[in-house]
Amino acid sequence: MREHKFELIIVDTEGRHRQEETLFAQMEEISAAIQPDETIFTLDSTIGQSAMEQARAFKDRVSIGSVIITKLDGHAKGGGAISAVAATDAPITFIGTGEQFEAFEPFRAASFVSRLLGQGDISGLMDMMQPLASQPEVMKQQAESMERMLKGQFSYRDFKGQVQMLLSLGPLDKMMESIPGMAGMMKQGGQAALASMDMRKWTVIMDSMTEAELDNASLVNNAKVQERLALGAGVMLDDVEQLVTNSRTLAKAFEGMGQMMGGGGKGNNGMMQAMQQMMGGMGGGMPGMGGPGGMGGMDMGAAMKAMMGGMGGRGGGGRGMGGMNMSKMMQMAQQMQSSGMGSMMKRK
Ligand SMILES: Nc1nc2c(ncn2[C@@H]2O[C@H](COP(=O)(O)OP(=O)(O)OP(=O)(O)O)[C@@H](O)[C@H]2O)c(=O)[nH]1
């Protein structure tokens, strides 16, 4: 293979357990034959207490260069795995949090501990949102469409843009789990994965809408139009109805949120400024975030405050965000979940 100029060759051995002496002996033979540059110990975090024995048994037979911990999306939070890894004296390089490729991520100590403590993972969330920071145009459009929604001006065009943006950031369930406080909520059944599946379907339905329908949502409240959309998108009529119902609930929730925030005033572009500020901050703050000690200069609380302050204060809504706080936001998120979002997540 080296002759064919392959730069990276991965030799994957069969899974082995401490008890299986022959497999361990075989692994030593393989190691001697291929002389690897690095031996990676991949540990399934769901094996619980036996992780320690497994790690020790490995270390006794080969020299472990690095560790990958998988299945951190299950019930196991990885506490046991971490102590096992300590026995190997090798660094953790990657973690697996799902079956898809995007669920394979670089290991970050601060994020990991934060998740272990059920406190969400802000630096992970910021990483996920990072692609937006490098696309100011997209960000501006998102902020503008979000403002229209907060003012109660719902359109499928805006909604489609937002859904597409969300989907482009990665798995929705992972993003939600990264938000402090949401982690527990999301764990209850992990239905956000279903929601993101629906969202893909919704974008296909919205792709079948005419320009007029995208701009005027009321045109879609029509049985004939909905039938046409189902045919055009190759989905069930039920799916179209689900999109209409959920988007209506979401539109109401956004409008309510806009009123609560005092962001309904004319010419309010505080949201946009705040988002830009937040992303600007992120760009500069990012390098520090992955480092030891965690979050570097980025403080989500401050970012949220900047965002919220921007909305009421400078925006012209006038009333400001004085009374708005995280717990209210959470309350609202819960309301959203139990109303529109709830049904969105339960349906397939
Ligand atoms: N949920 C979840 N599933 C995972 C993760 N990592 C791997 N899997 C799944 O676990 C199953 C086994 O994964 P494999 O990669 O075949 O495991 P393996 O250790 O190489 O298996 P053997 O070497 O054949 O024993 C597959 O269905 C994977 O998709 C993870 O982080 N989360």
Side-chain angles (χ1 to χ4, degrees), residues 12-17 42 69-74 95-100 103:
D12 180 20
T13 62
E14 292 167 63
R16 54 215 60 226
H17 305 283
T42 306
I69 303 183
T70 65
K71 303 199 182 166
L72 282 169
D73 49 317
I95 56 171
T97 57
E99 293 194 84
Q100 306 301 322

Side-chain angles (χ1 to χ4, degrees), residues 23 106 236 285:
L23 286 177
M236 307 296 286

